[in-house]
């Protein structure tokens, strides 16, 4: 057993610990804040961190702790929803393509190629035009882009598994599709799908922050990591701790998901 394999459990524990810490912050943060994230106090703008406001206040006197907790909750929830909405249909369609073959596989492959032909950013922009400032275009756009990766990887792997001797033996013994999928396909696909979902969640968090930063995601007064960076950037020299807060949360989320994905990939190898 080589060194990367030995380090995989430690990486997974570190990634889980960071992710749990972020989730706890997103859940408990609003309860610890002194007021709601949208409440302004123009007499207390750009306050430094203190006991009343552990992360200070922004340029409108709003609680940074409350806003950052809400932004973390929004980013993690949308990332998880987008990944699940892409992984479940992508995996099922990949299994169906490998199982049925023929016209079913060709039709689904054409559908996947058509989804890839349209750039993800362009798709999000087209959807955002129907609902400016809404978050659902980002969710739908990310889901429509990500499912193709799950479909292709699942189809390729499932085809090899279905052709393996132990699956052929199970078929000869009369076991049905449900048994084969539950006992043979899913256990073999689970490590690979876990890696894809970890990477996909990290990509979603980054994409949501990037869209918010350029003004395509949440709109003021909503709290979102990318939007907070845009709003606080003009005050970076005067109050650098404000801009550092959403950057730290974003970096921690990406690091946690990367550690989880890296540990799963090492173990699978």
């Amino acid at each position: 057993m080589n060194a990367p394999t030995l380090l995989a459990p430690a990486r997974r524990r570190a990634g889980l610990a960071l992710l749990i810490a972020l989730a706890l912050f997103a859940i408990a943060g609003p309860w610890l804040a002194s007021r709601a994230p949208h409440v302004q106090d123009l007499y207390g703008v750009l306050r430094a961190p203190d006991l009343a406001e552990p992360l200070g206040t922004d340029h409108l006197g709003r609680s940074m702790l409350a806003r950052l907790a809400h932004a973390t909750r929004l980013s993690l929830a949308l990332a998880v929803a987008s990944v699940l909405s892409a992984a479940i249909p992508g995996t099922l369609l990949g299994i169906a393509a490998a199982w049925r073959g023929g016209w079913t596989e060709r039709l689904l492959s054409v559908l996947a190629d058509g989804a890839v032909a349209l750039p993800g950013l362009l798709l999000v922009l087209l959807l955002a035009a129907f609902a400016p400032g809404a978050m659902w275009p980002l969710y739908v756009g990310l889901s429509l882009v990500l499912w193709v990766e799950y479909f292709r990887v699942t189809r390729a792997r499932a085809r090899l598994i279905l052709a393996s001797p132990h699956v052929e033996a199970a078929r000869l013994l009369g076991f049905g599709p449900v048994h084969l999928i539950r006992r043979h396909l899913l256990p073999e696909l689970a490590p690979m799908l876990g890696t894809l979902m970890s990477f996909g969640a990290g990509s979603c968090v980054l994409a949501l922050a990037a869209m918010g930063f350029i003004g395509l995601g949440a709109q003021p007064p909503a709290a979102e990591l990318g939007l907070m960076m845009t709003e606080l950037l003009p005050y970076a020299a005067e109050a650098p701790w404000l801009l550092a807060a959403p950057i730290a949360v974003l970096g921690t989320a990406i690091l946690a998901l990367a550690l989880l994905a890296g540990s799963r990939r090492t173990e699978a190898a």
Side-chain angles (χ1 to χ4, degrees):
M1 187 176 294
N2 53 26
T5 304
L6 292 173
L7 289 175
R11 292 176 180 175
R12 182 172 61 251
R13 286 193 295 269
L16 282 174
L18 291 175
L19 204 56
I20 291 173
L22 282 178
L24 290 176
F25 171 70
I27 295 172
W31 297 92
L32 300 176
S34 60
R35 55 184 183 272
H38 61 276
V39 175
Q40 301 181 13
D41 180 13
L42 298 181
Y43 292 100
V45 299
L46 302 181
R47 281 174 53 186
D50 53 27
L51 292 178
E53 291 293 343
L55 296 180
T57 60
D58 66 2
H59 59 294
L60 294 176
R62 297 173 296 190
S63 171
M64 279 294 295
L65 177 61
R67 292 185 62 76
L68 198 60
H70 278 77
T72 305
R73 182 189 304 178
L74 176 63
S75 295
L76 292 180
L78 279 176
V80 171
S82 299
V83 167
L84 291 178
S85 299
I88 294 174
T91 301
L92 294 178
L93 291 175
I95 292 175
W99 194 290
R100 300 289 298 177
W103 283 104
T104 302
E105 183 176 8
R106 286 193 287 271
L107 181 62
L108 292 175
S109 298
V110 170
L111 181 62
D113 293 339
V116 173
L118 187 64
L121 179 58
L122 179 59
L123 180 61
V124 172
L125 290 174
L126 291 175
L127 293 173
F130 292 99
M135 295 301 294
W136 70 262
L138 302 181
Y139 159 71
V140 174
L142 289 172
S143 300
L144 291 176
V145 171
L146 289 176
W147 78 269
V148 178
E149 184 177 7
Y150 295 94
F151 166 76
R152 289 179 169 177
V153 174
T154 300
R155 180 190 59 178
R157 182 61 179 164
R159 187 184 297 163
L160 295 176
I161 298 171
L162 292 173
S164 62
H166 60 279
V167 173
E168 292 292 340
R171 282 176 168 173
L172 291 175
L173 291 173
F175 290 105
V178 175
H179 174 85
L180 294 178
I181 292 174
R182 182 170 58 89
R183 297 298 299 271
H184 296 283
L185 277 177
L186 291 182
E188 293 282 345
L189 294 173
M192 177 193 64
L193 292 177
T195 300
L196 288 178
M197 292 177 72
S198 297
F199 277 123
S203 300
C204 287
V205 171
L206 274 178
L208 292 170
M211 293 299 173
F213 188 79
I214 61 177
L216 292 178
Q219 300 297 315
E224 192 273 329
L225 294 177
L227 178 61
M228 290 178 67
M229 294 180 198
T230 301
E231 292 178 334
L232 297 173
L233 189 59
Y235 309 96
E238 186 176 356
W241 60 87
L242 296 179
L243 186 60
I247 293 176
V249 169
L250 180 61
T252 302
I254 299 303
L255 176 60
L257 293 168
L259 287 172
L260 286 175
S263 65
R264 291 180 181 273
R265 183 174 57 183
T266 301
E267 290 180 342

